[in-house]
């Protein structure tokens, strides 16, 4: 068994139990065996190892867990972005443009895009990335989207209910039947999760409930896009169904916040339904940001993710999202870093990710900085010096 010591860490974010929420240790070392963390402690007491990386006093944190990304698509929508910046509103209607391009693409083209974006994210410190389908919207193209996604991630999500495709525009009930029937059957072998875009102009609450229930019956976990473009029943539907995460949460009522807070674990370990905030979408659509403080103050577990997609948030950068969360959503730097690591892991119901404690997966990010604070303090600067994923330096 090969071992690796990451040594001489000036500031180590463990997200483990400690006096502060990030479980920070100073002058620390991490011992890795195969793909797991097996020891964390002071550098002075570090055990011997086969290989050693001296990080020279730099900060080290768990790899980012990006729990919401749409990577399987073709084409881009730069012109739509430019039009929006010139004043046109975002309606979600552009999704159909990407559907056309995705259906026309070869497997090789889709695979190349997924790998390019996954590589881009990895270089920015993302060691786990959820990947959704949702630009095929027919049986064959949803199934192949998930098959290609599963080559890159074990956290794959069936989003056949992204929008109603043009050919079903007059008969959405028939489309819901397709999603729950043959499409789910073809998608489920490659998917871990099911998701619905529950929004005016996409799927209403009855359709969303029906689709998510079918997914649950097929063994998939539930997550959903909710309350992004306006108030609505999505968040409370997510709580009703025991969703791992409700994503966006931009327009929330008091009852929505109360419903999320009501899913708290009795052990004080946060809420079973996580609120995943996607500030890249508000940035790229020039929309008001979600009220992160209201959620945090109510005790709701918050995750940050990129929503990487060609329409409303074409960024793969978790450090960018951290900077937005701090500057625009008034999260503290510590809250934002926790939400981008341990929070993302909670949103995927993974207790082996987002922490650097014995038994956790050995996903580490070495910063070109002495503290995690620099992720928000130095926005837009490439601060990721080295990434170790599954115990392997990248
Ligand atoms: Zn999304």
């Amino acid at each position: 068994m090969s071992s690796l010591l990451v040594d001489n860490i000036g500031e180590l974010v463990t997200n483990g139990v400690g006096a502060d929420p990030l479980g920070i240790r100073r002058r620390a070392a991490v011992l890795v065996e195969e793909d797991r963390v097996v020891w964390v402690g002071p550098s002075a007491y570090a055990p011997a190892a086969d290989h050693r990386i001296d990080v020279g006093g730099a900060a080290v944190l768990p790899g980012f867990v990006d729990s919401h990304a749409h990577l399987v698509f073709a084409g881009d929508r730069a012109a739509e972005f430019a039009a929006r910046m010139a004043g046109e509103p975002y309606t979600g209607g552009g999704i159909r443009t990407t559907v056309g391009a995705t259906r026309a693409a070869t497997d090789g083209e889709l695979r190349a895009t997924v790998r390019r974006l996954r590589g881009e994210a990895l270089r920015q410190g993302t060691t786990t990335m959820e990947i959704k389908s949702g630009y095929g919207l027919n049986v064959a193209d949803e199934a192949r989207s998930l098959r290609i996604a599963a080559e890159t991630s074990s956290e794959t999500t069936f989003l056949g209910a992204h929008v109603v495709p043009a050919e079903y525009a007059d008969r959405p009930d028939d489309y819901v039947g397709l999603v729950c029937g043959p499409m789910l059957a073809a998608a489920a072998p490659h998917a871990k999760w099911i998701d619905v875009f529950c929004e005016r102009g996409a799927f209403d609450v009855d359709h969303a409930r029906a689709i998510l229930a079918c997914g649950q019956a097929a063994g998939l976990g539930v997550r959903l896009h909710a309350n992004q473009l306006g108030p609505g029943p999505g968040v409370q539907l997510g709580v009703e169904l025991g969703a791992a995460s409700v994503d966006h949460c931009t327009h929330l009522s008091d009852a929505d916040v109360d419903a999320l807070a009501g899913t708290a674990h009795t052990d004080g370990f946060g809420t079973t339904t996580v609120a995943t905030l996607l500030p890249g979408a508000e940035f790229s659509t020039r929309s008001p940001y979600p009220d992160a403080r209201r959620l945090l103050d109510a005790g709701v577990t918050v995750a940050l993710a990129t929503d990487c997609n060609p329409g409303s948030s074409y960024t793969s950068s978790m450090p960018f999202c951290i900077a937005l969360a701090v500057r625009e959503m008034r999260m503290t730097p510590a809250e934002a870093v926790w939400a981008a690591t341990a929070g993302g892991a909670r949103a995927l119901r993974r207790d082996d990710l987002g922490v650097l404690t014995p038994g956790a997966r050995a996903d580490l990010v070495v910063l070109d900085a002495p503290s995690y604070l620099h992720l928000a303090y130095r926005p837009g600067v490439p601060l990721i010096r080295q990434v170790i994923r599954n115990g392997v330096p990248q």
Side-chain angles (χ1 to χ4, degrees):
M1 189 180 295
S2 168
S3 60
L4 168 68
L5 185 71
V6 182
D7 202 2
N8 200 11
I9 301 168
E11 179 186 275
L12 174 66
V13 173
T14 67
N15 289 335
V17 178
D20 65 285
L22 295 183
I24 286 179
R25 289 165 170 258
R26 305 202 184 274
R27 292 174 292 283
V30 176
L31 182 66
V32 171
E33 282 180 3
E34 300 296 326
D35 65 344
R36 296 284 144 181
V37 172
V38 296
W39 180 90
V40 176
S43 267
Y45 299 105
D50 301 324
H51 306 280
R52 179 173 177 270
I53 296 175
D54 183 336
V55 303
V60 170
L61 57 153
F64 299 122
V65 179
D66 185 352
S67 60
H68 185 138
H70 309 247
L71 303 190
V72 193
F73 64 85
D76 77 35
R77 281 151 57 194
E80 178 191 314
F81 175 78
R84 203 158 59 230
M85 292 303 106
E88 287 184 19
Y90 176 70
T91 60
I95 292 170
R96 292 192 182 91
T97 308
T98 300
V99 170
T102 303
R103 287 176 176 175
T106 65
D107 288 9
E109 287 165 342
L110 295 179
R111 186 173 286 120
T113 297
V114 171
R115 291 189 177 166
R116 174 174 62 82
L117 293 170
R118 185 64 191 90
E120 195 180 274
L122 183 66
R123 290 192 295 279
Q124 296 171 93
T126 299
T127 48
T128 301
M129 200 166 191
E130 183 256 19
I131 304 177
K132 300 178 195 298
S133 67
Y135 295 114
L137 307 189
N138 60 36
V139 174
D141 287 313
E142 283 296 302
R144 81 164 170 152
S145 294
L146 286 161
R147 202 171 59 241
I148 289 168
E151 295 169 0
T152 298
S153 178
S154 61
E155 300 293 342
T156 52
T157 300
F158 170 45
L159 181 59
H162 199 182
V163 291
V164 176
E167 64 271 25
Y168 281 89
D170 300 332
R171 41 194 184 110
D173 290 344
D174 290 353
Y175 186 65
V176 172
L178 179 73
V179 171
C180 288
M183 199 186 288
L184 175 62
H190 313 290
K192 179 172 175 182
W193 303 96
I194 186 162
D195 192 343
V196 171
F197 189 21
C198 183
E199 197 79 44
R200 192 186 301 268
F203 293 86
D204 67 22
V205 67
D206 293 329
H207 283 157
R209 183 186 285 108
I211 292 164
L212 294 170
C214 292
Q216 273 181 319
L220 305 183
V222 168
R223 45 203 325 106
L224 72 161
H225 287 66
N227 302 58
Q228 175 188 3
L229 303 177
V235 163
Q236 294 191 51
L237 175 65
V239 170
E240 173 192 322
L241 296 176
S245 179
V246 288
D247 296 35
H248 285 291
C249 295
T250 310
H251 298 271
L252 298 184
S253 66
D254 288 345
D256 295 330
V257 176
D258 289 348
L260 285 167
T263 71
H265 290 276
T266 50
D267 58 6
F269 217 60
T271 51
T272 56
T273 298
V274 172
T276 298
L277 308 183
L278 308 162
E282 279 77 33
F283 177 89
S284 301
T285 59
R286 196 178 277 143
S287 302
Y289 289 91
D291 189 345
R293 287 253 58 86
R294 184 181 178 202
L295 290 162
L296 289 163
D297 293 346
V300 177
T301 299
V302 169
L304 283 173
T306 62
D307 197 14
C308 183
N309 78 83
S312 59
S313 182
Y314 202 7
T315 180
S316 56
S317 173
M318 291 294 277
F320 174 64
C321 295
I322 289 170
L324 287 181
V326 172
R327 171 62 180 82
E328 302 292 341
M329 290 162 31
R330 294 182 163 75
M331 292 173 73
T332 66
E335 286 167 341
V337 166
W338 191 94
T341 52
R346 297 280 179 86
L348 295 170
R349 300 234 163 119
R350 293 285 299 267
D351 58 12
D352 59 331
L353 303 176
V355 293
L356 292 175
T357 51
R361 208 168 76 178
D363 292 340
L364 292 79
V365 166
V366 182
L367 298 187
D368 241 335
S371 170
Y372 74 87
L373 291 169
H374 286 232
L375 288 165
Y377 173 47
R378 306 200 62 215
V381 176
L383 291 179
I384 309 302
R385 184 198 297 173
Q386 184 164 27
V387 179
I388 296 166
R389 183 164 181 265
N390 282 327
V392 180
Q394 303 293 302

